[in-house]
Amino acid sequence: MYADELNKIVMKTTTQALILILAILIYPPQAISQDLIARAQILLEKGKYERAIRISRQAVQEAEQVYGSNSRKAIDAKWYLGRVLHKSQMYAQAHEKMTEAMDKFLALPETSDSLKAAWLMEYGIVKIEIHHHLAAKTWLLKAATFAATSGQQKIHADILTQLARNSRLSGKSVEASSYMESALAGYSEILPADHSGWFMPLCESAAIFEDQGESLRAQKEIRKALEIADQQPMAPLSMADFLVQMGEVMFQKKQYNQAEPILFRAQELLDEHLGPHHDRSVALLKQRAEMASFQRHWCMAAERYRDLLGNGQYGRNNPIATAAAHANLGVALIHMHDYTDAERAWLKSLKHYQLVLAEDHEYILHVYRELLELYRLTGNRDKEIFILARLDRLEGMARR
């Protein structure tokens, strides 16, 4: 009996081993790893970041198991994982993986200067994202040297653009202008005037002009960039990234009228290619709702906050965010003299705050004060008296 069982186990194990050997012969690990990266790239282009990250991690594990962690294939796989994390805006994790890959990449005996330029540029960009501006400049300058020695004019101009961006974000406006002028001169030598490669440098040039208070020149660069985007095919999510970056510069400068058409275009791209319920689409809608409130465009603000609250992704498992959106909707509706819906919005805000906050929390007291003003405005004496009593008790609790 035991012999029979043992024979079955041996047969089963042998069969599994044969299947594995055949699989490796027919479809070697190198192909498996490359296939995983190809699948991750497709998912990345579709905005399915979590799945792309998971598959990229699997590609790293397989490459390390088969070839060793110091092999070129494992280094490439880890670098690609860093790139996916970067694209997913997980900058700290991207920096960690790219640092691990970069240390081993630089130790490889044979790598071309053009490849070093590309890798060092990407690494410098990640350094910018985590605000390591001095280190970013060091890596980008190294990348520029490799690009120049290898005759990679386009990469060299791209690196200069990133150096300009790094300087702008570091508050070095004059240095940023110098790098940007050199970059634009480099692009002029190799790109036709309507080439899609102009889009990113024009956006950065506009951001630098905005920082220097030259809004008219910034608007001119933005118009050129948008015209190129209309005429030339571009990766839609990359274009959306640049538009959001440009819109945020305008937003921070309180140039709301200029920011809105740029962010609207980005919203269209994100909604179309990622879907309106994607985190990035929702985050941009929230920003545009806030911008409408800052501009005192109350009808537009109310419409956007309603869209935000109607989006199943927003505020999921976050009552504070949902409560704040209802409160902001209430403000817009009061200015529109829609007092009935404003009351509903404030009461919903109160309900969500009460799920997670103490009764005497400042946010809850704020909602009660807004309701008090609303009832005074509408002459609802009974509700005014009720809220006054409630506020008196809660403010007394808060003082203790």
Side-chain angles (χ1 to χ4, degrees), residues 196-221:
S196 62
W198 280 102
F199 183 81
M200 183 184 75
L202 286 171
C203 285
E204 183 54 43
S205 179
I208 292 169
F209 283 137
E210 274 296 335
D211 268 7
Q212 296 173 338
E214 299 187 48
S215 294
L216 291 177
R217 295 182 73 181
Q219 290 177 41
K220 183 179 178 181
E221 301 288 71

Side-chain angles (χ1 to χ4, degrees), residues 343-356:
E343 180 186 19
R344 291 194 189 102
W346 282 112
L347 289 173
K348 286 179 181 178
S349 176
L350 181 63
K351 175 184 175 183
H352 285 284
Y353 278 138
Q354 287 173 331
L355 291 173
V356 289

